[in-house]
Amino acid sequence: MNMSLVEYERRGSVAVLTVNNPPVNAMSPGVPRGICEGIARASRDREVDAVVLVGAGRGFIAGADIRYFSLPWPEGEENFSDVIRAFEDSSKPVVAAIHGHALGGGLEVAMACHYRVVSPGTRVGQPEVKLGFPPGAGGTQRLPRLAGVAAALDMIVTGSPVTAPQAVELGIADSLIEDDFVEGACRFAEQRARSGGPHRLARDLPVNLDDPAIFDAMRGKIARRARGMRAPYACIECVEAAVNLDFDAGIAEERRIFEACVHSDESKALRHVFFAERAAGKIPGIDKSTPLREIASAGVVGAGTMGGGIAMNFANAGIPVTIVERNSEALERGMAVISRNYGASVSRGRMSEEAHDRAMALITPSIAMEDLADADVIIEAVFEEMAVKKAVFAEIDRVARPDAILTSNTSYLNIDDIAAAMPDRHGRVLGTHFFSPANVMRLLEVVRTANVSAENLATVMALARRMGKLPIVAGVCHGFIGNRMLEGYFGEASLMVEEGIAPERIDRVMFEFGMAMGPLAVMDLAGLDIGWSKRKDAGGGTAIERRGSWIANRLCEQGRFGQKTGRGYYIYEKGSRTPTPDAEIDDLMEAARHHFGLGPPDLSDAQILERCLYPLVNIGATILAEGHALRASDIDLVYINGYGFPAWRGGPMHWAGNVGLDRIHEAVCRYHRELGFPQWAPSSLLKELASSSRTFEDHDRDHRHA
Ligand code: 3H9
């Protein structure tokens, strides 16, 4: 079995070991043994002077098999150390021939070989930090010896890979082989064998450090991004060990730190996110045989903030897009914003002038709906009101090709209703809920309407990935996955302010938990007026004076709409986005408590956290039970990528498993009794899982979609 995972072949005087463990050649059980056996066979084979290690398929080795960080490694199976020892003990030079990718343990295996050659288009890196631990098979000790401390530190702490030419320039690889890769690698190996050596190992190279201050500088640089996390700092400690200790002591230190991190909640959460991202693409009714439609041109209706950002996504993906507005003033305004956004990317060095010009040339502004007549896909991004959207779709319906895919960028509305008004477009209407700023945010909720065809859904998912988005399928319900849950989160935050808990305290608790921003600061950013006008439209008169909106109503009456007016729950200095607490909110809190007859505020930080987060879990469970999310891990991805939930906590549903679903269910029932707001109506799925001591991950496993 092992030799089928690693094939042995002799080409002249070179033994070629090919790792063949689809899909990505991870170092699963059997692979290390196969490599060790191959090396042993090559060393016995008198005809062999050198060994080339190569990967079958799309790449070299993608690292350790990540599944095995949660599974026992089979008794007696060889591991990374055995492979590395086999290379180091080999009297014949071993050449790693890297094509596609060498990541994590893949690069570590390669760096333990005597030589490395790369093919063009290859990327090599140590992405372990993204899984919550530092490299654990010598990467933090060998990479600084090959690439220098500064470059190694950067690669290991950020997890970002480098390209083949960079790998050669940095000294990670010895040569770039342009064509006939395996043959070229064999010639390289033969030459090195013929040269007679010495075949130096990375472990024997010195570590040169010019500037000892780089470690603290790196700690400072990552402080914001790595808030609450352990792994990025662990990576720095490991590279420091490479500088301060001899090689073997450095390896021992790396192992100690790796072991401490790999079993942490942070790593479990990040591994959950890794597999969640891969699972999100698996949709019932869609598989590899589902045909995809070609998207060669697009239309966007509405050149506001969202429409402009969406058009930029098309242009960035190289797809020509026509953006339509009602009048030239609005169109010009929208195009000016797009141009400004691209300009900012250029001045920050994130985009070249050529890329800027290319992108702008792909966007055609228009005030004529007819200009969308040829578009393969049209996205509506106008004002969030059903009547307005329906009127716009009636116009789109008039001009669009019969086979065009039509999507609405609504964040709440019933897209089935929109689709029902266009019976001739059966199966071609769905939702694409982008997040603001639409050209930046990775999340896209793809809303599956009742009749959308598998082909059109699959096409939109593929289009989203082409745009660099993470598409998550959601069902048609008010607010889909993210905003529906958000109502509970914002709702509780607003209720707590009415109870006299200061906005800055609630926001501090949530920021310390790891959220990018606290809920009140987010509400100020989004604009308090949006909810206010919705409440007025829906309830009229006094019906809007419900608990949870009383203070927001008073703020809006005073024209305090949040950041855009310089005041909301906080005060904002002119031109600043930094929230400053406002004493007037104290008076409003006092008035609210009086109005609703509430006692003095009495909540601990832990209770504030519960009241913010448990509704997310409870409503998430309801959405899952209703089938409006395909899996709990999709909900986690929505919150991480659209709402600033810390990835290192794995998303709300994964985090709930750490807290204990029984504990959360008990609290939800208690808050339901005491407070009674809809976000506390206990989810039957939460109850069921809690009573059977299962987690949402267990639920996902039981309902796995192929
Ligand atoms: C490590 O190496 C630790 C070391 O320091 C040693 C410690 C002792 N394991 O991404 P894709 C699966 S930690 C298991 O869609 P792509 C993936 O789940 C590791 N499975 O393909 C998916 O399965 P499914 C460090 C893995 O072409 C399928 O392969 N290495 C692994 O878009 C296809 O994946 C990394 O972090 C794995 N290592 O991208 C690299 N990798 O079809 C992680 C993938 O059932 N991998 N799978 O859903 C990647 O970055 C990308 O997969 C790669 C290919 C770029 C390689």
Side-chain angles (χ1 to χ4, degrees):
M1 161 232 177
N2 296 336
M3 290 312 279
S4 69
L5 291 180
V6 182
E7 291 146 14
Y8 185 99
E9 177 202 359
R10 195 147 63 69
R11 290 200 189 187
S13 64
V14 177
V16 178
L17 307 187
T18 306
V19 178
N20 190 359
N21 183 28
V24 294
N25 294 330
M27 291 281 276
S28 318
V31 174
R33 172 171 296 183
I35 296 175
C36 289
E37 288 177 357
I39 294 287
R41 184 167 163 193
S43 83
R44 288 193 305 270
D45 191 336
R46 286 161 188 244
E47 306 288 311
V48 165
D49 295 330
V51 181
V52 164
L53 179 69
V54 66
R58 287 182 293 141
F60 179 68
I61 295 173
D65 187 330
I66 300 168
R67 292 168 303 175
Y68 278 88
F69 292 120
S70 318
L71 294 171
W73 189 252
E75 190 92 28
E77 271 293 339
E78 281 77 354
N79 56 28
F80 274 98
S81 315
D82 298 305
V83 168
I84 289 169
R85 201 171 318 111
F87 294 158
E88 293 186 344
D89 291 347
S90 169
S91 57
K92 300 175 183 178
V94 184
V95 178
I98 307 168
H99 77 292
H101 55 251
L103 297 171
L107 180 57
E108 291 174 299
V109 162
M111 288 192 296
C113 294
H114 300 92
Y115 303 100
R116 286 149 295 282
V117 296
V118 284
S119 72
T122 295
R123 280 147 56 97
V124 304
Q126 300 282 179
E128 287 90 337
V129 68
K130 296 180 183 168
L131 298 169
F133 48 79
T140 65
Q141 307 303 299
R142 288 188 179 84
L143 194 55
R145 286 174 163 81
L146 289 169
V149 179
L153 184 68
D154 196 64
M155 282 176 70
I156 293 169
V157 172
T158 63
S160 304
V162 296
T163 61
Q166 287 170 326
V168 174
E169 198 186 317
L170 288 168
I172 301 170
D174 301 284
S175 180
L176 181 75
I177 295 182
E178 299 277 349
D179 36 38
D180 207 354
F181 184 59
V182 179
E183 208 43 49
C186 289
R187 297 294 77 77
F188 178 94
E190 268 172 5
Q191 278 163 15
R192 293 300 149 123
R194 223 174 295 129
S195 75
H199 308 297
R200 262 200 325 187
L201 291 164
R203 60 175 292 145
D204 299 324
L205 298 173
V207 184
N208 299 318
L209 176 65
D210 295 334
D211 179 9
I214 63 167
F215 297 112
D216 280 342
M218 183 57 94
R219 286 187 183 94
K221 195 169 146 191
I222 64 170
R224 206 181 146 75
R225 190 166 28 98
R227 184 166 57 90
M229 296 170 75
R230 165 89 178 93
Y233 296 97
C235 289
I236 300 176
E237 284 164 37
C238 289
V239 180
E240 269 180 317
V243 172
N244 297 329
L245 305 175
D246 67 36
F247 183 82
D248 289 324
I251 287 284
E253 181 66 355
E254 179 197 84
R255 170 81 1 209
R256 186 186 68 74
I257 298 172
F258 169 83
E259 287 292 342
C261 290
V262 82
H263 302 297
S264 65
D265 284 347
E266 173 181 326
S267 175
K268 285 179 196 151
L270 290 169
R271 273 143 49 200
H272 163 74
V273 172
F274 177 87
F275 288 113
E277 290 196 2
R278 271 89 198 153
K282 300 186 169 75
I283 302 161
I286 291 180
D287 59 27
K288 288 205 175 80
S289 68
T290 309
L292 294 180
R293 311 244 329 259
E294 199 199 329
I295 301 293
S297 65
V300 174
V301 182
T305 319
M306 291 311 286
I310 295 169
M312 289 172 78
N313 284 318
F314 281 111
N316 295 345
I319 302 170
V321 55
T322 301
I323 182 163
V324 175
E325 252 299 347
R326 292 217 160 271
N327 56 56
S328 3
E329 293 78 56
L331 187 63
E332 272 163 31
R333 250 196 327 270
M335 287 304 290
V337 173
I338 293 177
S339 171
R340 229 184 5 255
N341 284 341
Y342 275 135
S345 300
V346 173
S347 54
R348 285 196 201 114
R350 289 197 199 133
M351 192 182 206
S352 67
E353 288 284 355
E354 299 77 66
H356 167 273
D357 296 348
R358 236 185 352 259
M360 282 305 284
L362 285 168
I363 305 179
T364 307
S366 165
I367 50 167
M369 205 58 107
E370 283 71 17
D371 288 341
L372 302 181
D374 289 332
D376 294 315
V377 59
I378 300 173
I379 299 185
E380 163 279 310
V382 301
F383 191 65
E384 180 75 359
E385 203 181 286
M386 193 50 130
V388 178
K389 295 215 185 259
K390 278 194 169 163
V392 165
F393 268 104
E395 285 184 62
I396 297 175
D397 189 25
R398 185 173 53 80
V399 300
R401 265 192 358 227
D403 64 342
I405 299 175
L406 309 185
T407 84
S408 170
N409 176 50
T410 173
S411 34
Y412 284 94
L413 300 175
N414 187 322
I415 306 164
D416 278 330
D417 277 357
I418 294 175
M422 296 178 284
D424 293 345
R425 299 193 175 268
H426 195 84
R428 296 196 192 90
V429 182
L430 66 161
T432 44
H433 177 208
F434 287 82
F435 288 72
S436 186
N439 54 314
V440 176
M441 296 290 282
R442 192 167 167 238
L443 178 65
L444 179 70
E445 281 183 327
V446 176
V447 188
R448 184 175 202 165
T449 43
N451 293 319
V452 68
S453 72
E455 185 178 339
N456 290 327
L457 180 61
T459 300
V460 170
M461 294 294 285
L463 172 66
R465 280 190 286 269
R466 201 170 147 196
M467 289 173 165
K469 302 286 175 205
L470 176 65
I472 303 291
V473 172
V476 177
C477 58
H478 182 74
F480 317 122
I481 297 174
N483 282 348
R484 181 166 166 195
M485 288 163 66
L486 193 69
E487 286 193 354
Y489 176 68
F490 278 179
E492 279 305 304
S494 311
L495 285 165
M496 285 190 282
V497 179
E498 283 177 3
E499 290 165 32
I501 312 295
E504 59 273 21
R505 182 162 169 226
I506 299 169
D507 282 356
R508 174 186 54 76
V509 169
M510 296 317 298
F511 183 77
E512 284 173 2
F513 173 79
M515 297 298 286
M517 284 168 89
L520 283 315
V522 174
M523 285 188 232
D524 268 1
L525 176 67
L528 303 177
D529 51 324
I530 300 167
W532 187 44
S533 72
K534 263 200 216 149
R535 287 194 293 278
K536 282 192 295 191
D537 287 350
T542 53
I544 70 164
E545 295 300 347
R546 277 194 296 264
R547 277 224 46 207
S549 44
W550 197 86
I551 289 186
N553 290 344
R554 301 291 82 74
L555 292 173
C556 289
E557 281 161 7
Q558 295 167 28
R560 298 177 58 151
F561 296 158
Q563 275 195 26
K564 60 178 137 183
T565 56
R567 287 185 106 171
Y569 280 104
Y570 295 97
I571 299 178
Y572 302 86
E573 294 298 328
K574 205 166 169 45
S576 162
R577 290 171 170 274
T578 310
T580 309
D582 181 359
E584 282 183 26
I585 295 289
D586 296 344
D587 300 337
L588 270 178
M589 290 194 293
E590 190 62 41
R593 287 203 295 114
H594 182 74
H595 181 82
F596 291 111
L598 303 171
D602 177 27
L603 288 181
S604 66
D605 283 2
Q607 286 169 312
I608 293 174
L609 190 85
E610 284 184 5
R611 293 225 3 221
C612 283
L613 292 184
Y614 288 4
L616 286 183
V617 178
N618 189 44
I619 301 172
T622 301
I623 292 174
L624 187 61
E626 290 170 356
H628 289 122
L630 288 174
R631 44 184 89 76
S633 63
D634 282 2
I635 298 177
D636 285 332
L637 294 179
V638 165
Y639 262 76
I640 291 168
N641 294 283
Y643 296 85
F645 200 98
W648 55 270
R649 293 213 191 253
M653 311 309 271
H654 174 88
W655 170 81
N658 289 349
V659 176
L661 298 193
D662 49 350
R663 191 170 145 193
I664 295 182
H665 178 251
E666 184 274 320
V668 165
C669 293
R670 180 162 36 80
Y671 285 127
H672 190 232
R673 280 193 308 275
E674 290 171 5
L675 303 167
F677 298 105
Q679 54 265 30
W680 295 115
S683 145
S684 54
L685 177 62
L686 179 63
K687 180 180 178 186
E688 181 194 319
L689 293 174
S691 58
S692 55
S693 304
R694 285 153 76 232
T695 63
F696 289 109
E697 271 142 301
D698 295 328
H699 178 271
D700 280 357
R701 248 188 306 278
D702 295 347
H703 297 79
R704 188 165 283 167
H705 305 286

